Amino acid sequence: MTAQHSALDQPFFAQWTTRGTLARSLEPARFLLDILSPCLPPSLAVIGSKGKGSSAAGATFALCQAGLTVVTITSPALITNRERIRIRGRAIDANTYAELGDILRSLLPRLPQGHYLSPSGAYTVMGLHLASVIGADVVVVEEGMGGSTDEISLIDHRALALTEVFAEHRGILGNNPVEIAENLLGAGGHSVDLVASAAQEGPVAALVAERIRRWEARTISHEPLPHRNRLIGAALGLGFYLGAALARDLGAGEPTPAALELPGRSSLHEVAGRRWFVDGAISAAGVREALAACPFSPETTLGAWPADKEWRECLKVSRAIPVRAGEHLVYPRPVPPWREVATVGNVAAIGTQSFVGEVLDYLGSDTRNMWSIA
């Protein structure tokens, strides 16, 4: 959930908030796409367990730098849900958001009964509709949860970025990394010409290689973009070089790599003489890399990891004060809301996107732009 809520969000969450015992299904989104019938430009899909937002930013930056008009659809947002749909890397304005919501609201009664339209599905479909309306040159779409089980699988993609796959959402996307990767790769198909993948464990790497051969796609090599956090730099580079390859295939310009700063991804902030380091790491390895990237020694480290994350390992690595954020998340034990914890001196705040969004909102950060150039 985002830090700020708006009445304009209601249509996108309408069926989710009233779902009761209904199951999530792709049918409502598929039906909505049929009604809207968008004329879609080539698309680049981003799938994986972690680093998807950074890869989507890298790809969007490359495509924009190549002179293309890009609509980017990501999930979740940080401060406002308008960030879920961006044009040229900037969150859509309130008027555009309201117009999309009005269209969606008018169509919800026509969707099939017995299932509910997920919020990520609603944003995906309406983002695709917007791309069609404005005549975008390309769309970058980040999966909400999964590949074959996510609305990202409802359209054909030209390029596919696969970030590191690990046992995230175990029991939902699959019972092990190979099953999870199988689900994620369901976002692709024979329309895929270009694939860039992060380094994967042996069985997952074999599955990715087999799928690339089956699709007769090209593997795009990549290297990290400059960044204080090694993992974020790698994810940015993965997206950037895939985006650059797609731009070339579309006959666009040649983008130049750059050092990018992303809000909430090892980002630095100074408020009232105190320094803050904010990162969305949710695995022990990610937390370790984040703390290594922090350019100062924090007097206070706050950690918000709910029960479905590696919370024990993250707390052990970080020695953080356990806190909570996000009303919808379940924590393994009673912990205070992060705002109630007295912080001293410089702060490192690490945890879920909900936590990161709340911290950035508290710090007065501007998250409308997907990146800034360092």
Side-chain angles (χ1 to χ4, degrees), residues 100-116:
L100 293 177
D102 287 343
I103 294 170
L104 177 59
R105 183 184 291 106
S106 71
L107 297 176
L108 288 176
R110 298 173 56 183
L111 301 187
Q113 304 298 306
H115 309 279
Y116 72 88

Side-chain angles (χ1 to χ4, degrees), residues 323-335:
V323 293
R324 65 180 300 121
E327 297 175 1
H328 63 298
L329 298 176
V330 178
Y331 286 80
R333 58 190 182 186
V335 292

Side-chain angles (χ1 to χ4, degrees), residues 2 25-26 36 42 44 63 96-97 102 110 127 150 171 177 192 235 243 273 280 299 310 324 327 329 357:
T2 55
S25 166
L26 301 185
L36 294 169
L44 184 156
L63 291 161
T96 301
Y97 189 47
D102 287 343
R110 298 173 56 183
D150 188 79
V192 174
E299 281 77 25
E310 298 178 3
R324 65 180 300 121
E327 297 175 1
L329 298 176

